[in-house]
Amino acid sequence: MDVQIALMLAQDGLTNGAIYALLALALVLVFAVTRVIFIPQGEFVAYGALTLAMLQGGSMPATAWLLAGMGALVALIDGATALRNGQTQKLAGVLGWNVGYPLGLVALLTLLPVKDLPLVAQVVLALAVVVPMGPLLYRLVFQPIASAPVLILLIVSVAVHVAMVGMGLLFFGAEGQRTPAFSDANFEVGPLMVSGQTVWVLMASLVLILALYQFFERTLYGKALRATAINRNGARLMGISPALAGKLTFFVAALIGALSGVLIAPITTIYYDTGFLIGLKGFVAAIIGGLASYPLAAVGAVLVGLLESFSSFWASAFKDVIVFTLIIPVLMWRSLTTRHVEEEE
Amino acid sequence: MNEVKNPVLQIDKLCVSYGKVEALSNASITVGEGQIVTVIGPNGAGKTTMLSAIMGVLGSAGRVSFDGTIEAVPEVERMVARGMNLVPEKRELFGEMSIEDNLVLGAFQRYRMGHRDQARTMDEVFELFPRLKERRTQLAGTLSGGERQMLAVGRALMAKPRLLMLDEPSLGLAPLIVREIFRIVAELRRRGVSILLVEQNARAALQVADYAYVLETGQIAMQGPAHTLADDPRVIEAYLGLGGKHQAMLST
Ligand SMILES: Nc1ncnc2c1ncn2[C@@H]1O[C@H](COP(=O)(O)OP(=O)(O)OP(=O)(O)O)[C@@H](O)[C@H]1O
Ligand SMILES: [Mg+2]
């Protein structure tokens, strides 16, 4: 292997690593706030990418109907609850967000010449379809069992993953999709050709990570999520309801997932079930951070990305095996070095 | 009965059970506007249980009416939004966050409802607890016991509550700080906050309070104006002890 190949592999590894880092951050966040190990994180990647592809193909993305369906269900449940408690003033909000928004979006997608819009607008529309599914998913599936043990939450999480992959096949078909690059520019850095898309992915990940940092350090809602992760009972007494924190967390996770999908769709072909493998690599990174440390998870993600790209050069058939085997020594090292802390209730 | 013109909190026949064991049975208490009402009683009497049920942390049967509106089943977030606040026995601070962040989060519900006066409220809290101001960037988890107590009370005050419920605010504090805490409780009443105070330090609590209840094995055993109860021989025997005057001195 000469320097040029090594640099190329490193570039690949970094690009993928940036995406894994984003997903790892989302997984750590979701686990810290809600104790859910969010297996379907990867599905949001696939949904984001494939919804964008459908929009560009000029058809109505089936995910929009899924959104409408989920919204209708939530409206039914929350509306009935509001009526039963005599909180009629809540009804307008419940119906507006859960029924009005999806239908408005569908109308918008029908009316607009989506196919011919600039790429930015298409991306925004794809996000507008996929991201709200995060909070809706929390409301429908995880909020009713919010206080269940971690194992139950994990099992439900796996079920949601399977269901979302199945629906993905139904919505998008078995064909893979690749979307056009954000920019066709190529940069020559020394002996290396860097594609515009790589720069996009790296910059976008960096910006997103910084934005998340600002969100958690500076805004009250960000602090509220951290507070919930630190002390759930204390947060409740401040009026930060676990349901609100959960929905907000799932919103952020879905945003990260869908955005990652949109970013990598020009680099890799995305199938309806590609998300799982990508999410799983983010998961390995999150485990390296002990599902608790954001910086360690990010470092782990870059490590996973590099390991993956270099092993694809030497032993391409085994690249996933190598990446996932990495988790064993990491877990052993963690279990030896971390002192077991009793969970305080 | 605690006869008051404007009751802030009225609970009626409140019952709580843990599984089959009833920890609180048919407790009825009233807190009037601007009153300090104290609940004293031995360990395991159900005091903490009662506060948790009023706040909605625990499910309960019975009736809780706050500010004139009846809550069949209180729900924490709604109670906070309506101006009720609990400083729990375990304090439940956000250990890995700074004093300032803890305080700001105390105003979360007010912020959500559109109020943007957190900075001013925080100044008021710092006025009451200058110690917190000195250490505003320190992590809550590294504070001393007394400082944690101050932070817990300060955080609750950030919500500008109409009713503040304190669960043993003097727990584990040095006598001088206990006196300070009770001074602040009295000061809060002067500012128009109604207070429901649960205390082991019966002497100090009876001295500062207007009305008092004695809770024993989940039931209200005695009640009356605080100074009357303080002279009741049964209370003296069980909770104040004979001749122990030093506590009273500390609480003045
Ligand atoms: N989660 C629980 N499960 C079962 N029993 C409980 C639980 N919490 C409290 N109890 C029991 O209920 C009774 C009342 O407890 P509570 O904490 O309300 O007492 P307390 O009056 O606050 O006592 P202290 O003065 O020691 O704080 C006790 O016997 C306690 O053991
Ligand atoms: Mg107690």
Side-chain angles (χ1 to χ4, degrees), chain A residues 85 87 89-90 216-217 220-228 230-244 345, chain B residues 55-57 75-78 80 85-86 88 90-97 101-102 104-109 111-112 155-156:
Chain A
N85 296 344
Q87 298 164 317
Q89 77 281 5
K90 268 193 178 173
F216 286 115
E217 286 297 317
L220 192 59
Y221 279 90
K223 286 176 187 175
L225 286 191
R226 267 167 64 212
T228 309
I230 294 171
N231 186 334
R232 198 166 282 115
N233 295 335
R236 263 197 103 188
L237 288 174
M238 303 298 106
I240 306 165
S241 79
L244 174 74
E345 261 311 308
Chain B
M55 195 68 205
V57 179
E75 185 192 328
V76 184
E77 296 80 26
R78 252 164 71 77
V80 175
N85 231 280
L86 169 67
K90 292 178 186 158
R91 307 301 173 233
E92 314 278 15
L93 298 173
F94 307 120
E96 290 113 79
M97 296 172 98
D101 282 352
N102 270 272
V104 166
L105 282 165
F108 178 81
Q109 192 56 254
Y111 182 90
R112 252 199 115 188
R155 188 178 66 170

Coordinates of all heavy atoms in Angstrom, one line a residue, chain A residues 85 87 89-90 216-217 220-228 230-244 345, chain B residues 55-57 75-78 80 85-86 88 90-97 101-102 104-109 111-112 155-156:
Chain A
N85 N -60.6 14.4 30.0 CA -60.2 15.2 31.1 C -60.8 16.6 31.0 O -60.5 17.5 31.7 CB -58.7 15.4 31.2 CG -58.1 14.0 31.5 OD1 -58.8 13.1 31.9 ND2 -56.8 13.9 31.3
Q87 N -60.2 18.9 28.8 CA -59.3 19.9 28.4 C -59.5 20.3 26.9 O -58.7 20.0 26.1 CB -57.9 19.5 28.6 CG -57.6 19.2 30.1 CD -56.3 18.4 30.3 OE1 -56.0 17.5 29.6 NE2 -55.5 18.8 31.3
Q89 N -59.5 22.9 25.3 CA -58.6 23.9 24.7 C -57.4 23.3 24.1 O -56.7 23.8 23.3 CB -58.2 25.0 25.7 CG -57.2 24.7 26.7 CD -57.7 23.8 27.9 OE1 -58.9 23.5 27.9 NE2 -56.9 23.6 28.9
K90 N -57.1 22.0 24.6 CA -55.9 21.3 24.1 C -56.2 20.8 22.7 O -55.2 20.5 21.9 CB -55.5 20.2 25.0 CG -54.5 20.5 26.1 CD -54.0 19.2 26.7 CE -53.0 19.4 27.7 NZ -52.6 18.2 28.4
F216 N -27.1 21.9 24.0 CA -27.1 21.3 25.3 C -26.5 22.2 26.4 O -26.9 22.1 27.6 CB -26.4 19.9 25.3 CG -27.2 18.9 24.7 CD1 -26.8 18.3 23.5 CD2 -28.4 18.5 25.2 CE1 -27.5 17.3 22.9 CE2 -29.2 17.5 24.6 CZ -28.7 16.9 23.5
E217 N -25.6 23.1 26.0 CA -24.9 23.9 26.9 C -25.6 25.2 27.2 O -25.6 25.8 28.2 CB -23.5 24.2 26.5 CG -22.5 23.0 26.6 CD -22.3 22.6 28.1 OE1 -22.2 23.5 28.9 OE2 -22.3 21.4 28.4
L220 N -32.3 26.4 27.4 CA -33.0 25.8 28.5 C -33.5 24.4 28.2 O -33.5 23.5 29.0 CB -34.1 26.7 29.0 CG -34.6 26.4 30.4 CD1 -33.6 26.4 31.4 CD2 -35.8 27.3 30.8
Y221 N -34.0 24.2 27.0 CA -34.5 22.9 26.6 C -33.4 21.9 26.5 O -33.6 20.7 27.0 CB -35.3 23.0 25.3 CG -36.7 23.5 25.4 CD1 -36.9 24.9 25.3 CD2 -37.7 22.7 25.7 CE1 -38.2 25.4 25.5 CE2 -39.0 23.2 25.9 CZ -39.3 24.5 25.8 OH -40.5 25.0 26.0
G222 N -32.2 22.3 26.0 CA -31.1 21.4 26.0 C -30.7 21.0 27.5 O -30.5 19.8 27.8
K223 N -30.7 22.0 28.3 CA -30.3 21.7 29.7 C -31.4 20.8 30.4 O -31.1 20.0 31.2 CB -30.2 23.0 30.5 CG -29.0 23.8 30.2 CD -29.0 25.2 30.9 CE -27.8 26.0 30.5 NZ -27.8 27.3 31.1
A224 N -32.6 21.0 30.0 CA -33.7 20.2 30.5 C -33.5 18.7 30.1 O -33.7 17.8 30.9 CB -35.1 20.7 30.0
L225 N -33.0 18.5 28.9 CA -32.8 17.1 28.5 C -31.6 16.5 29.3 O -31.7 15.4 29.8 CB -32.4 17.0 27.0 CG -33.6 17.2 26.0 CD1 -33.1 16.9 24.6 CD2 -34.8 16.4 26.4
R226 N -30.6 17.3 29.5 CA -29.5 16.9 30.3 C -29.9 16.6 31.7 O -29.5 15.6 32.3 CB -28.3 17.9 30.3 CG -27.3 17.7 29.3 CD -26.4 18.9 29.1 NE -25.6 19.2 30.3 CZ -25.3 20.4 30.7 NH1 -25.6 21.4 30.0 NH2 -24.5 20.5 31.8
A227 N -30.7 17.5 32.3 CA -31.2 17.3 33.6 C -32.0 16.0 33.7 O -31.9 15.2 34.7 CB -32.1 18.5 34.0
T228 N -32.9 15.7 32.7 CA -33.6 14.5 32.7 C -32.7 13.3 32.7 O -32.9 12.3 33.4 CB -34.6 14.4 31.5 OG1 -35.3 15.6 31.5 CG2 -35.5 13.2 31.7
I230 N -29.7 13.2 33.9 CA -29.0 13.1 35.2 C -29.9 12.6 36.3 O -29.5 11.8 37.1 CB -28.4 14.5 35.6 CG1 -27.3 14.9 34.6 CG2 -27.8 14.4 37.0 CD1 -26.8 16.3 34.7
N231 N -31.1 13.2 36.4 CA -32.0 12.9 37.5 C -33.4 13.0 37.1 O -34.0 14.1 37.1 CB -31.7 13.8 38.7 CG -32.4 13.4 39.9 OD1 -33.5 12.9 39.9 ND2 -31.9 13.8 41.1
R232 N -34.0 11.9 36.8 CA -35.3 11.9 36.2 C -36.4 12.5 37.2 O -37.2 13.3 36.8 CB -35.7 10.5 35.7 CG -36.9 10.5 34.8 CD -37.0 9.1 34.1 NE -36.0 9.0 33.1 CZ -35.0 8.1 33.1 NH1 -34.9 7.3 34.1 NH2 -34.2 8.0 32.1
N233 N -36.3 12.1 38.5 CA -37.2 12.6 39.4 C -37.1 14.1 39.7 O -38.1 14.8 39.7 CB -37.0 11.9 40.8 CG -37.3 10.4 40.7 OD1 -38.1 10.0 39.8 ND2 -36.7 9.6 41.5
G234 N -35.8 14.5 39.8 CA -35.6 15.9 40.0 C -36.2 16.7 38.8 O -36.8 17.8 39.0
A235 N -36.0 16.3 37.6 CA -36.4 17.0 36.4 C -38.0 17.1 36.4 O -38.5 18.1 36.1 CB -36.0 16.3 35.2
R236 N -38.6 16.0 36.8 CA -40.1 16.0 36.9 C -40.6 17.1 37.9 O -41.5 17.8 37.6 CB -40.6 14.6 37.4 CG -41.0 13.7 36.3 CD -41.8 12.6 36.9 NE -43.3 12.9 36.6 CZ -44.2 12.1 37.1 NH1 -43.9 11.1 37.9 NH2 -45.5 12.4 36.8
L237 N -39.9 17.2 39.0 CA -40.3 18.2 40.0 C -40.1 19.6 39.5 O -40.7 20.5 40.0 CB -39.5 18.0 41.3 CG -39.9 16.7 42.1 CD1 -39.0 16.5 43.3 CD2 -41.4 16.8 42.5
M238 N -39.3 19.8 38.5 CA -39.2 21.1 37.9 C -40.2 21.3 36.8 O -40.2 22.3 36.1 CB -37.8 21.3 37.2 CG -36.6 21.1 38.2 SD -36.6 22.2 39.5 CE -37.1 21.2 40.8
G239 N -41.1 20.3 36.6 CA -42.1 20.4 35.5 C -41.6 20.0 34.2 O -42.2 20.2 33.1
I240 N -40.4 19.3 34.1 CA -39.9 18.8 32.8 C -40.5 17.4 32.7 O -40.0 16.5 33.4 CB -38.4 18.7 32.8 CG1 -37.8 20.1 33.1 CG2 -37.9 18.2 31.5 CD1 -36.3 20.0 33.5
S241 N -41.6 17.2 31.9 CA -42.2 15.9 31.9 C -41.4 14.9 31.1 O -40.8 15.3 30.1 CB -43.6 16.0 31.4 OG -43.6 16.1 30.0
P242 N -41.3 13.7 31.6 CA -40.6 12.7 30.8 C -41.1 12.6 29.4 O -40.3 12.3 28.5 CB -40.9 11.4 31.6 CG -41.3 11.8 32.9 CD -42.0 13.2 32.8
A243 N -42.4 12.8 29.2 CA -43.0 12.7 27.8 C -42.4 13.8 26.9 O -42.0 13.5 25.8 CB -44.5 12.8 27.9
L244 N -42.3 15.0 27.5 CA -41.8 16.1 26.7 C -40.3 15.8 26.4 O -39.9 15.9 25.2 CB -41.9 17.4 27.5 CG -41.2 18.6 26.8 CD1 -42.1 19.0 25.6 CD2 -41.0 19.7 27.8
E345 N -31.7 5.4 42.9 CA -33.1 5.7 42.5 C -33.6 6.8 43.4 O -33.4 6.9 44.6 CB -34.0 4.5 42.7 CG -34.2 3.8 41.4 CD -34.6 4.7 40.2 OE1 -35.6 5.5 40.4 OE2 -34.0 4.7 39.2
Chain B
M55 N -48.1 16.2 45.5 CA -47.4 16.7 44.3 C -47.8 15.9 43.1 O -47.6 16.4 42.0 CB -45.9 16.6 44.6 CG -45.0 17.4 43.7 SD -45.3 19.1 43.9 CE -44.8 19.7 42.3
G56 N -48.3 14.7 43.3 CA -48.6 13.8 42.1 C -47.5 12.9 41.8 O -47.6 12.2 40.7
V57 N -46.4 12.8 42.6 CA -45.3 11.9 42.3 C -45.8 10.4 42.6 O -45.5 9.5 41.9 CB -44.1 12.2 43.2 CG1 -43.0 11.2 42.9 CG2 -43.6 13.6 42.9
E75 N -51.1 15.7 38.8 CA -50.0 15.3 37.9 C -48.9 16.3 38.1 O -49.1 17.5 38.0 CB -50.6 15.3 36.5 CG -49.6 14.8 35.4 CD -50.2 15.2 34.0 OE1 -51.4 15.2 33.9 OE2 -49.4 15.4 33.2
V76 N -47.7 15.8 38.3 CA -46.6 16.7 38.7 C -46.4 17.9 37.9 O -46.4 19.0 38.4 CB -45.2 15.9 38.7 CG1 -44.1 16.8 39.2 CG2 -45.3 14.7 39.5
E77 N -46.4 17.7 36.5 CA -46.1 18.9 35.7 C -47.2 20.0 35.8 O -46.9 21.1 35.8 CB -45.9 18.4 34.2 CG -44.8 17.5 34.0 CD -45.1 16.1 34.4 OE1 -46.3 15.7 34.4 OE2 -44.1 15.3 34.7
R78 N -48.4 19.5 35.9 CA -49.5 20.4 36.0 C -49.4 21.2 37.4 O -49.7 22.4 37.4 CB -50.9 19.7 36.0 CG -51.6 20.0 34.7 CD -52.7 18.9 34.5 NE -53.8 19.1 35.4 CZ -54.7 20.1 35.3 NH1 -54.6 20.9 34.2 NH2 -55.7 20.2 36.1
V80 N -46.8 21.8 39.1 CA -45.7 22.8 39.0 C -46.2 24.0 38.2 O -45.9 25.2 38.6 CB -44.4 22.2 38.3 CG1 -43.4 23.2 38.1 CG2 -43.9 21.0 39.2
N85 N -44.7 23.6 44.5 CA -43.3 23.2 44.3 C -42.9 22.4 45.6 O -43.2 22.7 46.7 CB -42.4 24.4 44.2 CG -41.5 24.2 43.0 OD1 -40.5 23.5 43.0 ND2 -41.9 24.7 41.8
L86 N -42.1 21.3 45.3 CA -41.7 20.4 46.4 C -40.2 20.4 46.5 O -39.5 20.2 45.4 CB -42.3 19.0 46.2 CG -41.7 17.9 47.0 CD1 -42.1 18.1 48.5 CD2 -42.2 16.5 46.5
P88 N -37.8 17.9 47.7 CA -38.0 16.6 48.2 C -36.9 16.2 49.3 O -35.9 16.9 49.4 CB -37.8 15.7 47.0 CG -37.0 16.5 46.1 CD -37.3 18.0 46.4
K90 N -34.9 13.8 49.3 CA -33.6 13.5 48.7 C -33.0 14.6 47.9 O -32.0 14.4 47.2 CB -33.7 12.2 47.9 CG -34.0 11.0 48.7 CD -34.2 9.8 47.8 CE -34.7 8.6 48.6 NZ -35.4 7.6 47.7
R91 N -33.6 15.7 47.8 CA -33.1 16.9 47.1 C -33.2 16.8 45.6 O -33.5 17.8 44.9 CB -31.7 17.3 47.6 CG -31.7 17.5 49.1 CD -32.6 18.5 49.7 NE -32.6 18.5 51.1 CZ -33.7 18.4 51.9 NH1 -34.9 18.3 51.3 NH2 -33.6 18.4 53.2
E92 N -32.7 15.7 45.1 CA -32.8 15.4 43.7 C -32.2 16.6 42.8 O -32.8 17.1 41.9 CB -34.2 15.2 43.2 CG -35.0 14.3 44.1 CD -34.8 12.8 43.8 OE1 -33.8 12.5 43.0 OE2 -35.6 12.0 44.2
L93 N -31.0 17.0 43.2 CA -30.3 18.0 42.4 C -29.7 17.4 41.2 O -29.6 16.2 41.0 CB -29.2 18.6 43.3 CG -29.6 19.3 44.6 CD1 -28.4 19.7 45.4 CD2 -30.5 20.5 44.2
F94 N -29.3 18.3 40.2 CA -28.6 17.8 39.0 C -27.1 17.9 39.3 O -26.5 18.9 39.0 CB -29.1 18.6 37.8 CG -30.6 18.7 37.7 CD1 -31.2 19.9 37.7 CD2 -31.3 17.5 37.6 CE1 -32.6 19.9 37.7 CE2 -32.7 17.5 37.5 CZ -33.3 18.7 37.5
G95 N -26.6 16.7 39.8 CA -25.2 16.7 40.3 C -24.1 17.2 39.4 O -23.2 17.9 39.7
E96 N -24.3 16.8 38.1 CA -23.2 17.1 37.1 C -23.4 18.5 36.5 O -22.8 18.8 35.4 CB -23.0 16.0 36.1 CG -22.5 14.8 36.6 CD -23.5 13.6 36.6 OE1 -23.7 13.1 35.5 OE2 -24.1 13.3 37.6
M97 N -24.3 19.3 37.0 CA -24.5 20.6 36.5 C -24.2 21.7 37.5 O -24.2 21.4 38.7 CB -26.0 20.8 36.0 CG -26.3 19.8 34.9 SD -28.1 19.8 34.5 CE -28.1 20.9 33.1
D101 N -27.0 26.5 36.5 CA -27.9 25.7 35.7 C -29.0 25.0 36.5 O -30.1 24.9 36.0 CB -27.1 24.6 34.9 CG -26.3 25.2 33.8 OD1 -26.5 26.3 33.5 OD2 -25.5 24.4 33.2
N102 N -28.7 24.5 37.7 CA -29.7 24.0 38.5 C -30.8 25.0 38.8 O -32.0 24.7 38.7 CB -29.1 23.5 39.9 CG -28.6 22.1 39.8 OD1 -29.4 21.2 40.1 ND2 -27.4 21.9 39.5
V104 N -31.5 27.7 37.0 CA -32.3 28.1 35.8 C -33.3 27.0 35.5 O -34.5 27.3 35.1 CB -31.3 28.2 34.6 CG1 -32.0 28.2 33.3 CG2 -30.5 29.5 34.8
L105 N -33.0 25.8 35.7 CA -33.9 24.7 35.4 C -35.1 24.8 36.4 O -36.2 24.3 36.0 CB -33.2 23.3 35.6 CG -32.4 23.0 34.3 CD1 -31.5 21.9 34.6 CD2 -33.3 22.7 33.2
G106 N -34.9 25.3 37.6 CA -36.0 25.5 38.5 C -37.1 26.4 37.8 O -38.3 26.3 38.2
A107 N -36.7 27.2 36.9 CA -37.7 28.1 36.3 C -38.2 27.5 34.9 O -38.8 28.2 34.1 CB -37.1 29.5 36.0
F108 N -37.9 26.3 34.7 CA -38.3 25.7 33.4 C -39.7 25.9 33.0 O -40.1 26.3 31.9 CB -37.9 24.2 33.4 CG -38.3 23.5 32.1 CD1 -37.5 23.6 31.0 CD2 -39.5 22.8 31.9 CE1 -37.8 23.0 29.8 CE2 -39.8 22.2 30.7 CZ -39.0 22.3 29.7
Q109 N -40.6 25.5 34.0 CA -42.0 25.6 33.7 C -42.5 27.0 33.4 O -43.3 27.3 32.5 CB -42.8 24.9 34.8 CG -44.3 24.6 34.6 CD -44.5 23.8 33.4 OE1 -45.0 24.2 32.4 NE2 -44.2 22.5 33.5
Y111 N -40.6 29.4 32.2 CA -40.0 29.7 30.9 C -41.0 29.1 29.8 O -41.3 29.8 28.8 CB -38.6 29.1 30.7 CG -37.9 29.4 29.5 CD1 -37.1 30.5 29.3 CD2 -38.0 28.5 28.4 CE1 -36.5 30.8 28.2 CE2 -37.4 28.8 27.2 CZ -36.6 29.9 27.1 OH -35.9 30.2 25.9
R112 N -41.4 27.9 30.0 CA -42.3 27.3 29.0 C -43.6 28.1 28.8 O -44.2 28.2 27.8 CB -42.7 25.9 29.5 CG -42.0 24.8 28.6 CD -42.7 23.5 28.8 NE -43.3 23.1 27.5 CZ -44.1 22.1 27.4 NH1 -44.5 21.4 28.5 NH2 -44.6 21.8 26.2
R155 N -33.7 26.5 44.1 CA -34.2 26.0 42.8 C -35.7 26.0 42.8 O -36.3 26.3 41.8 CB -33.6 24.6 42.6 CG -33.9 24.0 41.2 CD -33.3 22.6 41.1 NE -34.0 21.7 41.9 CZ -33.8 20.3 41.8 NH1 -32.9 19.9 40.9 NH2 -34.4 19.5 42.7
A156 N -36.3 25.6 44.0 CA -37.7 25.6 44.0 C -38.3 27.0 44.0 O -39.3 27.3 43.3 CB -38.2 24.9 45.3

